[in-house]
Amino acid sequence: MSWLIALGLAAACLAALLLVFKVPRRGWEALGAALLLGLAGYVLQASGQPGAPKVAAVPRSEDGKALVAARQQLRVGPPQQGNSWLIIADAQVRNGRYADASTLLLGAVEQNPKDSESWLALGIALVSHAEGNLSPAALHAFRQASAADPAAPGPPFFLGLALAQSGRLDEGRTLWTSLLKATPADAPWRGDLAARITALEGFIASQRAEAAPR
């Protein structure tokens, strides 16, 4: 019965995107892939498998809003104008509708594969939909975001966060440390990044202390 409900919701979402948002035909394949991804996520969430240890980044009740705000704070240069895909997807993320946001952002990057910010937003949405776990699709999105704009601080920041949340603590710390070294002293996000690194290092130290033989 739960499968029927999931399929019904997927069909309703597809109809809304085609009829309300007027997604062009060339984006239909991406939409189908995103819906399949959402269904796959539903299966994983229902499987009851224990998750990897995670480092809390922001309060759960504010996750979506905080993620959008953090991505925008890390933006270098003026915001994009006329990117309706990203605007609508941000609204979905703020409301915790990460699968819907991923669907929209797939359309955005298909329309403009060099859109670093939409690739970054897609990676963030995919990680959030997977409850903090870094999937191959999310990793690809982060790498595409970095390739489209190598100087942007957003991709390494959010990839480092996803690595830490997925239990890959040392990898996340290494990426954040490299980003901090490349961050200008007057960057508005430098203090927050340094504080996160300190907190992550403290968490790593505590984990190692607990694992040490007594």
Side-chain angles (χ1 to χ4, degrees):
M1 180 62 69
S2 59
W3 264 106
L4 293 177
I5 296 173
L7 289 172
L9 290 173
C13 179
L14 179 61
L17 289 166
L18 295 180
L19 299 177
V20 178
F21 294 111
K22 307 295 183 183
V23 176
R25 181 177 293 274
R26 65 172 180 270
W28 290 7
E29 183 177 351
L31 292 178
L35 289 173
L36 288 175
L37 176 65
L39 289 173
Y42 172 82
V43 174
L44 290 174
Q45 290 175 11
S47 65
Q49 296 295 328
K54 296 178 176 60
V55 179
V58 290
R60 281 295 174 188
S61 61
E62 299 177 1
D63 268 357
K65 294 179 181 178
L67 288 170
V68 173
R71 196 200 77 235
Q72 293 175 343
Q73 183 186 31
L74 288 164
R75 180 193 293 133
V76 176
Q80 295 184 22
Q81 300 296 326
N83 190 339
S84 57
W85 298 90
L86 185 59
I87 293 171
I88 299 171
D90 279 351
Q92 300 282 24
V93 169
R94 289 188 184 98
N95 288 286
R97 300 173 63 177
Y98 303 118
D100 292 340
S102 300
T103 300
L104 291 166
L105 291 164
L106 279 170
V109 298
E110 182 176 86
Q111 187 177 62
N112 181 9
K114 299 297 183 181
D115 183 353
S116 177
E117 190 164 5
S118 289
W119 275 115
L120 176 58
L122 175 59
I124 295 169
L126 289 171
V127 170
S128 300
H129 179 61
E131 298 184 345
N133 293 298
L134 180 63
S135 66
L139 179 59
H140 174 72
F142 287 132
R143 287 175 173 170
Q144 290 295 108
S146 185
D149 188 356
F157 174 82
F158 280 103
L159 177 55
L161 177 61
L163 286 167
Q165 288 178 325
S166 297
R168 297 161 66 175
L169 305 176
D170 289 321
E171 293 177 70
R173 177 179 58 180
T174 298
L175 195 56
W176 274 358
T177 301
S178 297
L179 175 59
L180 184 64
K181 290 179 180 178
T183 299
D186 59 348
W189 60 82
R190 183 181 177 88
D192 177 71
L193 176 60
R196 288 175 184 268
I197 292 173
T198 299
L200 179 57
E201 288 177 339
F203 183 79
I204 292 173
S206 67
Q207 291 290 299
R208 289 178 178 170
E210 291 180 4
R214 299 181 185 276

